[in-house]
Amino acid sequence: MQSADVGEVIKTARRIKDGDIYSWYDEWYKEANRILGLAEKWEKEGHATSASEAYFRATTYFQSAGFYMLAPQDRDRARDCRKRSRATFLKAIEAYPNITYVEIPYGDVVIPGYLAKSEKTGNKAPIVIVNTGFDGSAEDSFNGVAWAAMKRGYDCLVFEGPGQGELFMEKDLYFRHDWEVVGKAVLDYVETLPGVNHDKIVYLGVSMGGYLAPRVAAFDDRIDVLVVNSGLFKLYECAFRIFPDDVT
């Protein structure tokens, strides 16, 4: 599924002032709302496919708008973008009965995510669990992995844990070093899913998830295949390169 349009991206990027994060926010927010308007128009006119595609693109653009809104004074902007990106994604998947929003029990809260069922029918499907990273979301994880997984006969579950997305923005829950606790909650949920081959569970960690996923696998033998796609071999060294020598 196309979650962005090259022409829209280039047009928006050209309007952004170099080095200005608020210009970045303004232009992506405007484009997201423009595409959202088209999606709503096409939905009313009965063009379900075109509307769904536009909702997917609006999701990406709202997420892009909020990406650099990290300072405390920008938190309301970040929350607004996150809520809008989730709302548009939920509208987009209405056209796909095999994709559902899910809530995974986790202590006193729930872990939000999406479950995509394989496009192939027949035997129980293997499942790919996608663990996003430091600033990822369930929506961009879905676009990055789930479509490809479904076409190849896999079910796919993407989620946001503490320190990520909704649990960070709305619940003030932060990353935990013992991520295997989060992984256990997700794997316990997967075991309740019908139509899944529970002997063929793939756990994929992307970006910072490339650190988190091995912790889950180290403590839980229900994972059949572990895929680590962190992009970094030594996160500590990369993080501290930005600091002066007298600090590190």
Side-chain angles (χ1 to χ4, degrees):
M1 175 54 59
Q2 188 176 13
S3 57
D5 177 84
V6 172
E8 293 166 357
V9 170
I10 292 174
K11 180 183 66 175
T12 303
R14 284 176 174 169
R15 297 197 303 262
I16 297 171
K17 298 176 183 176
D18 287 349
D20 187 338
I21 62 171
Y22 296 107
S23 174
W24 170 282
Y25 165 82
D26 288 340
E27 296 304 335
W28 280 116
Y29 198 80
K30 289 176 188 175
E31 187 64 9
N33 277 301
R34 186 182 76 84
I35 300 302
L36 174 58
L38 291 175
E40 292 172 339
K41 175 178 180 291
W42 291 334
E43 183 180 15
K44 289 178 181 178
E45 294 173 349
H47 306 303
T49 299
S50 295
S52 176
E53 291 175 350
Y55 280 125
F56 277 124
R57 302 202 308 278
T59 294
T60 300
Y61 302 157
F62 277 124
Q63 288 192 340
S64 297
F67 192 79
Y68 292 115
M69 297 295 102
L70 303 176
Q73 66 269 23
D74 297 327
R75 183 58 64 86
D76 287 344
R77 287 189 177 99
R79 286 196 178 105
D80 174 63
C81 289
R82 189 206 62 77
K83 289 179 179 178
R84 288 176 180 271
S85 67
R86 175 139 301 166
T88 49
F89 195 88
L90 289 171
K91 289 294 295 182
I93 64 175
E94 288 180 2
Y96 296 87
N98 60 325
I99 303 172
T100 54
Y101 173 77
V102 299
E103 294 183 335
I104 301 168
Y106 174 72
D108 296 330
V109 298
V110 294
I111 291 172
Y114 299 98
L115 176 65
K117 300 295 292 181
S118 167
E119 295 178 0
K120 298 181 179 180
T121 59
N123 297 329
K124 290 185 176 181
I127 188 168
V128 179
I129 301 171
V130 184
N131 196 140
T132 189
F134 178 75
D135 48 17
S137 70
E139 290 80 19
D140 63 27
S141 294
F142 191 98
N143 287 324
V145 180
W147 296 111
M150 286 189 292
K151 291 178 180 179
R152 290 161 175 80
Y154 289 83
D155 290 353
C156 187
L157 174 66
V158 301
F159 71 92
E160 295 170 352
Q164 301 168 327
E166 180 178 325
L167 293 188
F168 173 64
M169 289 285 187
E170 305 298 332
K171 305 296 184 182
D172 290 325
L173 293 180
Y174 302 99
F175 282 105
R176 53 189 301 168
H177 74 279
D178 54 347
W179 195 259
E180 59 273 14
V181 176
V182 179
K184 181 181 184 302
V186 174
L187 288 162
D188 288 347
Y189 174 77
V190 167
E191 285 197 327
T192 70
L193 297 175
V196 172
N197 186 337
H198 298 116
D199 293 324
K200 292 186 177 180
I201 297 176
V202 180
Y203 200 104
L204 166 62
V206 179
S207 191
M208 185 174 168
Y211 162 75
L212 303 174
R215 281 206 63 107
V216 179
F219 290 89
D220 203 312
D221 60 7
R222 288 176 289 182
I223 296 173
D224 186 55
V225 176
L226 173 66
V227 181
V228 177
N229 184 17
S230 65
L232 300 173
F233 288 106
K234 297 181 179 180
L235 179 60
Y236 178 89
E237 288 185 6
C238 292
F240 276 87
R241 283 176 186 169
I242 65 174
F243 294 105
D245 292 339
D246 59 345
V247 174
T248 58

